[in-house]
Amino acid sequence: MTDSDANLTALPEEDVVEEEEVKTQTLPSAYSSIPIRPATQTSKQKYAPIEWLGYFDKEEDIKIPDSNDVFHVYTAGSEGPVVFCLHGGGFSGLSFALSASKIKANARVVAMDLRGHGKSSTEDDSDLSIETLCNDVLAVIKAMYGDSPPATVLVGHSLGGSVAVHVAAKRAISKLAGLVVVDVVEGTAMASLMHMQKILSGRVQHFPTYEKAVEWSVRGGFLRNIESARISVPSTLKFDDSRNCYIYQTPLEESERYWRGWYEGLSDLFLASPVPKLLLLAGTDRLDKSLTIGQMQGKFQMIVVRHTGHSIQEDVPDEFASLISNFISRNRIGPHGVEIPGLPRPQK
């Protein structure tokens, strides 16, 4: 045994192991350049609900005089024109949360829960006729701003787009300054009505937790932005005590008698609106004949938003907010309104 062997055997066993480990670690490895992976989130953490605070500034209930109707609205921003947002069927005002957090730098944002949706409560939540929905929007605007609202841009997604067009057609908002319709046109909508019941029945109807509902919405491709889904999806559900699970707040399958009225004649009403108009689409194949002709004649601005699903404002909120802000700037829509041909001049 050499002196070096004797010194080695005199070391505690754990020291020998440590020395061997150090030598082993210094050896070149084919995996040495691979970065350490961060700890993965559990499914529950990844899809957990997020509060609207930090996106909108506040929420409030708007009581409609001489009725029992109370409409819930979310607001953001303190200066500029009002961007009044109307969500799609089965959604809620929170579908505009991420977009509102960006738009509020240039405008005031109001997103209401339509009748039968979100936290709004009315004498008849099942009445989703286009006439009733339009009257609701006008009543909320009047309750919030009286007879002299600031310059207002109506922004509507899907069903909300139809409501926005019909509200604009009434010419009842003295300072209506713009109209933005998000991914809905008459031709495609009317053609899809015969399949709507099958589409609705194909959805998962019951969820044990909010997290599972958010996960289903994202994994199923219904929404593509997890952050937005975590904010908006819980607001579309309610807890069913009898079944001990969450179900949809709005039973859209029971509103079939109103569907045709939502979309019939929509293209002509849109084209006839005297205010600046923007149509945002997720695909060019959605234009019908009337809109194709109108677009060629320059009657409205059309933008196809790539790499997104039906809910453009949720899937790509930064791009959506930028498009809305650019629309306001391009048409010089200010906080005190602009003179629009065909609309009465506001009383001073």
Side-chain angles (χ1 to χ4, degrees):
M1 178 182 294
T2 65
D3 291 340
S4 60
D5 290 336
N7 291 335
L8 184 60
T9 56
L11 290 173
E13 186 175 347
E14 60 269 22
D15 287 341
V16 175
V17 173
E18 288 180 2
E19 185 174 329
E20 290 176 350
E21 288 177 349
V22 170
K23 291 180 180 179
T24 301
Q25 291 174 0
T26 60
L27 294 175
S29 169
Y31 303 100
S32 59
S33 62
I34 297 179
I36 299 174
R37 283 187 178 183
T40 57
Q41 287 182 309
T42 65
S43 179
K44 187 172 184 179
Q45 292 172 325
K46 184 176 181 180
Y47 300 108
I50 302 176
E51 290 292 332
W52 58 266
L53 292 170
Y55 302 93
F56 288 105
D57 296 337
K58 64 178 181 177
E59 62 178 356
E60 58 183 308
D61 289 320
I62 305 299
K63 175 74 169 62
I64 305 304
D66 304 319
S67 76
N68 293 320
D69 297 346
V70 179
F71 292 96
H72 198 75
V73 301
Y74 300 90
T75 61
S78 58
E79 297 181 351
V82 170
V83 177
F84 201 94
C85 301
L86 304 171
H87 61 78
F91 291 76
S92 81
L94 290 181
S95 67
F96 291 95
L98 265 65
S99 298
S101 69
K102 308 295 182 182
I103 297 173
K104 70 180 183 180
N106 303 305
R108 287 170 281 179
V109 181
V110 177
M112 69 176 281
D113 289 340
L114 296 177
R115 174 181 296 253
H117 294 73
K119 295 182 180 179
S120 290
S121 174
T122 68
E123 295 177 351
D124 184 3
D125 284 344
S126 66
D127 181 5
L128 298 182
S129 65
I130 193 65
E131 186 69 17
T132 296
L133 294 175
C134 286
N135 290 336
D136 290 343
V137 172
L138 291 171
V140 168
I141 292 176
K142 183 176 179 61
M144 293 183 71
Y145 304 110
D147 294 324
S148 299
T152 302
V153 178
L154 291 174
V155 178
H157 168 240
S158 197
L159 168 60
S162 174
V163 176
V165 169
H166 281 83
V167 169
K170 289 180 176 291
R171 306 194 181 190
I173 302 174
S174 61
K175 292 182 181 177
L176 181 64
L179 175 63
V180 180
V181 173
V182 183
D183 210 44
V184 59
V185 296
E186 179 183 351
T188 304
M190 294 297 291
S192 67
L193 291 184
M194 66 180 68
H195 309 293
M196 192 57 62
Q197 283 290 3
K198 183 177 181 180
I199 294 172
L200 292 174
S201 63
R203 300 184 299 175
V204 175
Q205 302 293 323
H206 312 94
F207 302 97
T209 63
Y210 282 141
E211 288 83 357
K212 287 298 182 183
V214 173
E215 183 176 4
W216 178 82
S217 296
V218 174
R219 287 182 175 272
F222 185 63
L223 296 174
R224 301 185 184 185
N225 186 311
I226 295 179
E227 183 182 3
S228 186
R230 292 170 68 188
I231 300 169
S232 67
V233 170
S235 66
T236 67
L237 305 171
K238 63 180 180 181
F239 192 75
D240 187 329
D241 292 317
S242 64
R243 297 183 234 187
N244 195 36
C245 65
Y246 291 95
I247 62 174
Y248 294 110
Q249 168 86 5
T250 310
L252 288 176
E253 64 278 2
E254 297 175 11
S255 64
E256 184 173 4
R257 62 188 181 277
Y258 302 120
W259 294 350
R260 182 168 291 274
W262 291 348
Y263 304 117
E264 200 165 46
L266 185 62
S267 292
D268 289 339
L269 285 178
F270 175 72
L271 293 170
S273 180
V275 298
K277 298 177 286 293
L278 170 63
L279 178 62
L280 299 179
L281 296 176
T284 53
D285 60 331
R286 302 179 184 224
L287 275 188
D288 56 29
K289 182 177 179 180
S290 295
L291 290 181
T292 300
I293 295 173
Q295 200 267 334
M296 293 174 65
Q297 294 173 338
K299 292 185 177 181
F300 64 93
Q301 180 187 10
M302 185 189 78
I303 297 176
V304 178
V305 184
R306 306 289 182 182
H307 313 299
T308 181
H310 178 49
S311 301
I312 298 174
Q313 77 281 5
E314 295 209 51
D315 292 347
V316 287
D318 289 355
E319 184 174 355
F320 180 83
S322 178
L323 291 170
I324 297 299
S325 296
N326 289 342
F327 175 77
I328 291 172
S329 175
R330 180 173 183 257
N331 293 285
R332 300 189 297 279
I333 299 171
H336 304 295
V338 291
E339 185 175 348
I340 303 297
L343 289 181
R345 187 188 299 271
Q347 297 296 319
K348 295 183 179 179

